[in-house]
Amino acid sequence: MAGAGVVPEPTRIMVGVNESTIKGYPHASISSKGAFEWTLKKIVRSNFSGFKLLFLHVQVSDEDGFDDMDSVYASPDDFKKMNRRDMIRGVHLLEYFVNRCHELGVSCEAWLKKGDPKEVICHEVNRVQPDFLVVGSRGLGPFQKVFVGTVSEFCAKHADCPVITIKRKADEAPQDPVDD
Amino acid sequence: MAGAGVVPEPTRIMVGVNESTIKGYPHASISSKGAFEWTLKKIVRSNFSGFKLLFLHVQVSDEDGFDDMDSVYASPDDFKKMNRRDMIRGVHLLEYFVNRCHELGVSCEAWLKKGDPKEVICHEVNRVQPDFLVVGSRGLGPFQKVFVGTVSEFCAKHADCPVITIKRKADEAPQDPVDD
């Protein structure tokens, strides 16, 4: 496609987004929103047609142990319902970002995946081949990092494209910095 | 200044640049040029007034041992000359980037510092407070990294602003990947 017209292809920016640990679905995390708004303000600016945003939300899959704790109390039907509900919630989360892009006239795509977020993001980078990846970060210290996943650090190291990590602003951090 | 007019301040991108290990001064390294061209193509695009590029070139200072080897043969006057010559060469290196910006109509600044590149870049980030930092990388493997400085990794970890590392393209790598 490149070279066919005068206008170059838009720069394709993948943005990894997740749900708020405080407010839950459909609310996006503080760091996801921050990374997205930073991208609009500092990269896209007023060049709305020059960029395409690719929003990826990865939901932790049932096999990752989280839901196993509830399995004593839940029938298989409950699980199906939960998965469907989660999926709908995931779509609602993505809607926030998609709507914001539509308002501005920035073209975008959004999709949902299940799995280990850091692994899936790197896998999707390989598949979709964005020009670069934007991920938010809570900006945790080394002690806090021991106990929580650091998706951004993993992606910065392993994703097969340039990665820009946007740290959450200090004045937006909740009382417990692990929250987001 | 922000808010005084309708037009927002341009996004200020600091770009760390260095000389080619193969061709020497005033030629820029392959990875510096790559990072710069990537920034123009993928970020600045046609929005020339929306960005300001800040080029920083750090020359390893005499105390870092490199020039000590020559001191047996060199008088203090030789050193002064060498330093002046290096400085002029550094300016010529920066000219490449500045000229390219002038051609396009992208505003820019460029300056020269002496010291340990990774330390100086992080220090200058603190002082100048760019919106983000772009650094090139040779994309060396873990074994090769043991023997050479990895300015990009240090900056990605320690610079007090978002950092985007642009790996050199595989087809641009010289026979010895440590060369640049």
Side-chain angles (χ1 to χ4, degrees):
Chain A
M1 296 289 277
V6 182
V7 181
E9 299 282 316
T11 297
R12 296 161 71 243
I13 310 175
M14 189 186 279
V15 186
V17 297
N18 62 350
E19 77 278 19
S20 167
T21 65
I22 308 165
K23 297 186 188 173
Y25 281 115
H27 300 280
S29 67
I30 299 167
S31 54
S32 293
K33 282 193 199 175
F36 170 56
E37 293 297 336
W38 185 91
T39 305
L40 290 176
K41 188 177 172 193
K42 297 298 183 182
I43 308 276
V44 175
R45 298 182 59 97
S46 58
N47 186 7
F48 301 128
S49 63
F51 296 88
K52 181 170 188 175
L53 299 186
L54 310 170
F55 299 106
L56 171 60
H57 172 46
V58 184
Q59 294 185 315
V60 178
S61 60
D62 302 345
E63 301 91 66
D64 285 11
F66 190 80
D67 288 334
D68 286 355
M69 280 171 53
D70 293 329
S71 63
V72 183
Y73 310 103
S75 71
D77 273 348
D78 286 331
F79 267 129
K80 272 190 207 154
K81 230 182 284 168
M82 194 185 277
N83 291 344
R84 218 179 306 136
R85 202 178 56 194
D86 266 5
M87 200 171 288
I88 291 167
R89 286 170 159 183
V91 170
H92 282 307
L93 170 73
L94 288 166
E95 261 178 355
Y96 168 84
F97 297 97
V98 170
N99 287 343
R100 190 91 174 76
C101 283
H102 282 183
E103 279 169 27
L104 293 168
V106 177
S107 80
C108 70
E109 281 176 29
W111 68 107
L112 204 64
K113 285 272 171 183
K114 287 233 166 221
D116 180 357
K118 60 186 191 303
E119 303 277 0
V120 173
I121 291 173
C122 291
H123 183 267
E124 290 296 287
V125 162
N126 275 333
R127 190 179 66 83
V128 172
Q129 304 205 353
D131 290 305
F132 62 101
L133 169 69
V134 177
V135 280
S137 151
R138 286 167 288 190
L140 298 178
F143 181 75
Q144 294 156 335
K145 274 183 202 165
V146 175
F147 303 106
V148 296
T150 51
V151 172
S152 60
E153 279 191 22
F154 184 93
C155 292
K157 215 165 184 175
H158 296 103
D160 202 19
C161 75
V163 179
I164 191 157
T165 301
I166 307 303
K167 273 190 203 149
R168 192 170 58 186
K169 287 176 198 157
D171 61 4
E172 287 185 342
Q175 210 163 13
D176 181 348
V178 173
D179 272 335
D180 194 22
Chain B
M1 295 291 274
V6 183
V7 181
E9 299 283 316
T11 297
R12 296 162 70 244
I13 310 175
M14 188 186 279
V15 186
V17 297
N18 62 350
E19 76 279 18
S20 168
T21 66
I22 308 166
K23 298 186 187 172
Y25 281 116
H27 299 281
S29 67
I30 300 168
S31 54
S32 294
K33 281 193 198 175
F36 170 57
E37 293 298 336
W38 185 92
T39 305
L40 290 177
K41 188 176 172 194
K42 299 298 185 183
I43 308 276
V44 175
R45 299 182 57 97
S46 57
N47 186 7
F48 302 129
S49 63
F51 296 88
K52 180 170 189 175
L53 298 186
L54 311 170
F55 299 104
L56 171 60
H57 172 48
V58 184
Q59 294 185 317
V60 178
S61 60
D62 301 345
E63 301 91 65
D64 287 11
F66 189 81
D67 287 335
D68 285 356
M69 281 173 50
D70 292 328
S71 62
V72 183
Y73 310 104
S75 71
D77 273 348
D78 286 331
F79 267 128
K80 272 189 206 153
K81 230 181 284 168
M82 194 185 277
N83 291 345
R84 218 180 306 136
R85 201 178 55 192
D86 266 4
M87 201 171 287
I88 292 167
R89 287 170 157 186
V91 170
H92 282 307
L93 170 73
L94 288 167
E95 260 179 355
Y96 168 85
F97 297 98
V98 171
N99 287 344
R100 190 90 174 77
C101 283
H102 282 183
E103 279 169 25
L104 294 168
V106 177
S107 80
C108 70
E109 281 177 29
W111 68 108
L112 206 62
K113 284 272 170 183
K114 286 232 168 222
D116 180 359
K118 60 186 191 303
E119 303 277 0
V120 174
I121 292 173
C122 290
H123 184 267
E124 290 296 286
V125 162
N126 275 333
R127 190 179 66 83
V128 173
Q129 304 204 354
D131 289 305
F132 62 102
L133 169 68
V134 177
V135 280
S137 150
R138 287 167 288 191
L140 298 179
F143 182 73
Q144 294 156 335
K145 276 183 202 166
V146 174
F147 303 106
V148 294
T150 49
V151 174
S152 60
E153 278 190 23
F154 184 93
C155 292
K157 217 166 183 174
H158 295 103
D160 202 21
C161 75
V163 179
I164 191 156
T165 301
I166 307 301
K167 273 189 203 150
R168 192 170 59 186
K169 287 177 198 155
D171 60 4
E172 288 184 342
Q175 210 162 12
D176 181 349
V178 172
D179 272 336
D180 193 22

